[in-house]
Amino acid sequence: EPAMFKVALAPSGPVDPIVQANFDLLNRDGRGGTGGLGWRQMLVWLIDLGVDADETLARQVLARYDSNCSGKLEVDEFAVLMSDAIYGDLFSSLPSIGPDGPTVVVDGFHKFDKFHSGTIDASDLEEVLKTIGIEADPGRLSLVLEEYESENGGTLDLREFQQLIRDLLCQ
């Protein structure tokens, strides 16, 4: 399984006070409450660490460590992220992310985009799903395309494909 898709397991037991303090510093929603760390807080944190980060990278790091697929990091997920940052696993994986997302997803998209049109159609999607072990009948493929496509052209672009893969991984 590609490293970008391994599930980050939460540490058992109480969270280290230093991790909790860092989490609390970042965990502000602007209204006096908290709701977990979103991509904006990830961006601030990455920049504070000296990473040349942007929104895309912040969203990718968030997605990698958001083990419950809530769209935000809770303190236990942040603890795993901090551990990886301290021990080097986070930064060793950053170059593999690339500007459009995890290279394994981008490469997979381009592999199935046979005509290099920037989109994949129902037959391409059927091959993608078979590759990851999902058999889908033509009616189901139509429903998937309708759910994820934004232009109603019967195809998925890279961003739509990335959302589909994220949703499949978070099931």
Side-chain angles (χ1 to χ4, degrees), residues 134-149:
I134 299 172
E135 291 291 328
D137 61 62
R140 177 137 167 82
L141 287 173
S142 297
L143 292 174
V144 169
L145 281 173
E146 285 176 25
E147 182 176 343
Y148 287 92
E149 69 175 341

Side-chain angles (χ1 to χ4, degrees), residues 14-21 75 79:
V15 175
D16 183 281
I18 294 172
V19 172
Q20 185 69 56
V75 68

Side-chain angles (χ1 to χ4, degrees), residues 125-143:
L125 183 58
E126 182 178 23
E127 286 185 56
V128 171
L129 295 176
K130 280 183 185 176
T131 300
I132 60 175
I134 299 172
E135 291 291 328
D137 61 62
R140 177 137 167 82
L141 287 173
S142 297
L143 292 174

Side-chain angles (χ1 to χ4, degrees), residues 52-65:
D52 184 20
D54 60 8
E55 177 183 344
T56 302
L57 181 62
R59 287 182 182 276
Q60 292 163 354
V61 171
L62 174 65
R64 177 178 179 194
Y65 289 90

Side-chain angles (χ1 to χ4, degrees), residues 84-124:
D84 283 357
I86 291 166
Y87 296 108
D89 291 340
L90 171 65
F91 299 108
S92 65
S93 70
L94 288 182
S96 70
I97 292 176
D100 293 320
T103 55
V104 67
V105 174
V106 175
D107 290 348
F109 176 83
H110 292 301
K111 175 182 174 188
F112 291 101
D113 177 15
K114 296 178 195 126
F115 300 109
H116 310 290
S117 63
T119 62
I120 58 172
D121 62 17
S123 66
D124 299 329

Side-chain angles (χ1 to χ4, degrees), residues 8-16 19 75-80:
L9 299 175
S12 59
V15 175
D16 183 281
V19 172
V75 68
D76 56 338
E77 295 165 326
F78 183 69
V80 174

